[in-house]
Amino acid sequence: MTRVLVVDDDPYLLRALRINLTAHGYQVHTATDAAGGLATAGRQPPDLAIVDLGLPDLDGIAVVEGLRGWSRVPIIVLSARDAEAAKVAALDAGADDYVTKPFGMDELLARVRAALRRAAPTPDAPVISTAAFTVDLAAKRVTGPDGEIRLTPTEWHLLEILARHPDKLVAQRQLLREVWGPQYQTETNYLRVHLANLRRKLEPDPARPRYLITEPGLGYRFVP
Amino acid sequence: MTRVLVVDDDPYLLRALRINLTAHGYQVHTATDAAGGLATAGRQPPDLAIVDLGLPDLDGIAVVEGLRGWSRVPIIVLSARDAEAAKVAALDAGADDYVTKPFGMDELLARVRAALRRAAPTPDAPVISTAAFTVDLAAKRVTGPDGEIRLTPTEWHLLEILARHPDKLVAQRQLLREVWGPQYQTETNYLRVHLANLRRKLEPDPARPRYLITEPGLGYRFVP
DNA sequence: ACCGATCTTGACGCGTTCTTCGCGGCCGTA
DNA sequence: TACGGCCGCGAAGAACGCGTCAAGATCGGT
């Protein structure tokens, strides 16, 4: 079962979080201060941590730092509206997301799901092979028949997304959003240029692509 | 250098410990409460921890538990004569040794040596070799054809991270975060400078690196 | 307070990479 | 057949990233 650690000093909020998270199938551990939170995390490493920045020892950031020292567990930070500086510090320290109080329970649950989803795709086969080349996602390396193939950052980023969803159609918007950001979602010509460069480096016959397939008007597909 | 973390709320004792330990060649980090201690341990994992059970948040045991969650670092607990129960609890939680206050500094130092000696046999395969040099991760030493190569702390830290992931591409952000901290994630020029220095010390032809490879825009790769 | 080692910071040249644009081809539709 | 949408292609200038050097700034030890 997914284990969630909640560190908060407000007993009412703690109770509300416990009830809601439990109701959604999470196993909840709680602590009311930084020391207790870190100790609990040590005893029972959680799959996700929710940390209030306004702890009695004024040091929710210590929890983030303490966790980040040994764990990549997703951390969601709770903060009051005016604690901007602390929030930024917490994110710098390695927190993954933040929720400003007061917040709706549905929003928090959504962020919990998002954080877990983001963290989930870790343990996978990080090597995808085709007849023409091999993609090693962990080492960020592409090997062709003549040895290593050097990709530019953008090319690698595109290939990585496509390779993580083999045989699946990836929408143009999604590619543009993940590589260039939300405000570039219509610049489809970027995709054309960089896909062409990728094909030139990877495809045996770049003019007639076999692995990086265009689905006109929709997106692209990686077929191993 | 051997790193010792001391968690104690008594400033006099803290000072005495720092002076004595430093004098005996240990690198000392200190904290005055459980949260700070765990956070410090996360930032700079110690080789040994000395923890006073009588902390202001009454929870030295939390430090022991928090450390034991992710580390096998030897832990020596300090306790007042009458705190038998807490002492037992600390040992149950995973502490390695205890010293009853008041104690002689020589005794403590002896126990420190003993604890480190006991922990020493931690032999996995912490040695990575190339044709040009050898990296001993445990001993924190680099040996070249002409004997030992002296590295600065930053250089060693960088090389250590790269050597722990041979053949893997390590992202710039990750290097910056692990060596300098989360708020330096964009200072890529640090990497350029220190990598250049590393190459000057390690590479046969620093202008054409063979072991410390740059992947432009992405990060660096150590190829043994 | 001084000194050496180390780290930070800024500047420069150079090669690479990205962006941007125009052109031509393919295809479905009017 | 004409037309518009979409794609592949090539090329040019701009922007970026890297390596390098050298000058402060910082730190620890004497």
Side-chain angles (χ1 to χ4, degrees):
Chain A
M1 201 191 310
T2 306
R3 248 196 310 243
V4 178
L5 169 67
V6 183
V7 187
D8 200 314
D9 63 314
D10 177 349
Y12 298 101
L13 184 52
L14 208 54
R15 192 172 122 82
L17 287 171
R18 174 189 284 284
I19 289 172
N20 275 281
L21 288 168
T22 304
H24 282 77
Y26 301 105
Q27 183 182 349
V28 181
H29 298 263
T30 59
T32 54
D33 59 13
L38 287 167
T40 304
R43 270 198 306 272
Q44 316 218 332
D47 302 300
L48 181 133
I50 300 175
V51 179
D52 191 338
L53 288 183
L55 292 179
D57 38 4
L58 299 175
D59 222 351
I61 288 177
V63 180
V64 177
E65 286 178 338
L67 281 172
R68 271 294 168 271
W70 57 276
S71 166
R72 291 184 188 171
V73 58
I75 301 175
I76 297 178
V77 167
L78 309 181
S79 77
R81 185 169 300 281
D82 53 2
E84 281 298 318
K87 201 163 63 184
V88 170
L91 291 175
D92 277 345
D96 291 86
D97 199 356
Y98 65 88
V99 180
T100 305
K101 290 194 281 190
F103 55 85
M105 195 54 71
D106 288 338
E107 180 191 348
L108 182 69
L109 288 169
R111 289 188 187 273
V112 166
R113 284 193 298 273
L116 287 172
R117 201 176 329 118
R118 240 175 293 136
T122 320
D124 270 84
V127 174
I128 291 129
S129 287
T130 74
F133 56 90
T134 300
V135 183
D136 186 333
L137 290 174
K140 287 198 198 292
R141 215 175 199 180
V142 184
T143 315
D146 305 328
E148 183 172 352
I149 300 175
R150 266 181 34 83
L151 298 185
T152 72
T154 310
E155 286 163 8
W156 170 257
H157 208 160
L158 277 173
L159 179 62
E160 187 177 21
I161 297 171
L162 290 170
R164 283 198 198 282
H165 308 286
D167 281 320
K168 253 177 76 178
L169 174 75
V170 184
Q172 294 175 343
R173 299 195 144 222
Q174 184 181 345
L175 288 169
L176 287 165
R177 184 158 25 85
E178 291 200 27
V179 176
W180 282 273
Q183 58 271 53
Y184 290 83
Q185 285 185 100
T186 57
E187 303 279 343
T188 57
N189 50 328
Y190 289 14
L191 292 178
R192 289 205 292 278
V193 172
H194 290 283
L195 257 295
N197 290 336
L198 262 179
R199 285 173 178 143
R200 213 166 295 142
K201 292 182 179 178
L202 299 179
E203 293 276 359
D205 180 3
R208 219 151 319 120
R210 194 179 140 196
Y211 303 107
L212 300 169
I213 310 297
T214 300
E215 301 280 356
L218 299 175
Y220 294 85
R221 185 197 304 275
F222 173 64
V223 183
Chain B
M1 202 195 304
T2 306
R3 255 200 301 245
V4 179
L5 169 67
V6 183
V7 187
D8 200 313
D9 64 314
D10 178 349
Y12 297 101
L13 184 51
L14 208 54
R15 192 172 123 82
L17 286 171
R18 173 190 284 283
I19 290 173
N20 276 281
L21 288 168
T22 304
H24 283 78
Y26 301 106
Q27 182 181 351
V28 180
H29 298 264
T30 59
T32 54
D33 58 14
L38 287 168
T40 303
R43 274 197 303 272
Q44 317 218 333
D47 301 301
L48 180 135
I50 301 175
V51 179
D52 191 338
L53 288 184
L55 292 178
D57 38 3
L58 300 175
D59 222 351
I61 288 178
V63 179
V64 177
E65 288 176 336
L67 282 172
R68 272 294 168 268
W70 57 279
S71 167
R72 291 183 189 173
V73 58
I75 302 175
I76 299 178
V77 297
L78 310 180
S79 77
R81 183 169 301 280
D82 51 4
E84 281 298 319
K87 200 163 63 183
V88 171
L91 291 174
D92 279 344
D96 292 84
D97 198 358
Y98 65 89
V99 179
T100 305
K101 291 194 280 190
F103 55 86
M105 193 54 71
D106 288 339
E107 179 191 351
L108 181 69
L109 287 169
R111 290 188 186 272
V112 165
R113 284 192 297 273
L116 286 172
R117 203 177 327 117
R118 237 175 296 138
T122 325
D124 14 341
V127 175
I128 291 129
S129 288
T130 74
F133 55 90
T134 300
V135 183
D136 186 333
L137 290 174
K140 295 195 192 296
R141 277 168 57 127
V142 183
T143 314
D146 306 328
E148 181 173 355
I149 300 175
R150 267 181 35 82
L151 298 184
T152 71
T154 308
E155 287 163 7
W156 170 257
H157 207 161
L158 276 174
L159 180 62
E160 184 178 22
I161 297 171
L162 290 170
R164 282 196 199 282
H165 308 284
D167 276 321
K168 295 259 191 294
L169 193 160
V170 184
Q172 296 174 343
R173 298 196 146 223
Q174 184 181 345
L175 289 170
L176 288 165
R177 184 158 29 83
E178 293 200 25
V179 176
W180 282 273
Q183 57 270 56
Y184 290 83
Q185 284 185 120
T186 58
E187 304 280 342
T188 57
N189 48 329
Y190 289 15
L191 292 178
R192 291 205 292 278
V193 172
H194 291 283
L195 256 295
N197 292 335
L198 262 179
R199 285 175 177 142
R200 216 164 291 143
K201 292 182 180 180
L202 299 179
E203 293 275 0
D205 180 2
R208 218 150 322 119
R210 195 181 140 193
Y211 304 106
L212 301 169
I213 309 296
T214 300
E215 300 281 356
L218 297 172
Y220 293 85
R221 187 197 304 278
F222 173 64
V223 184

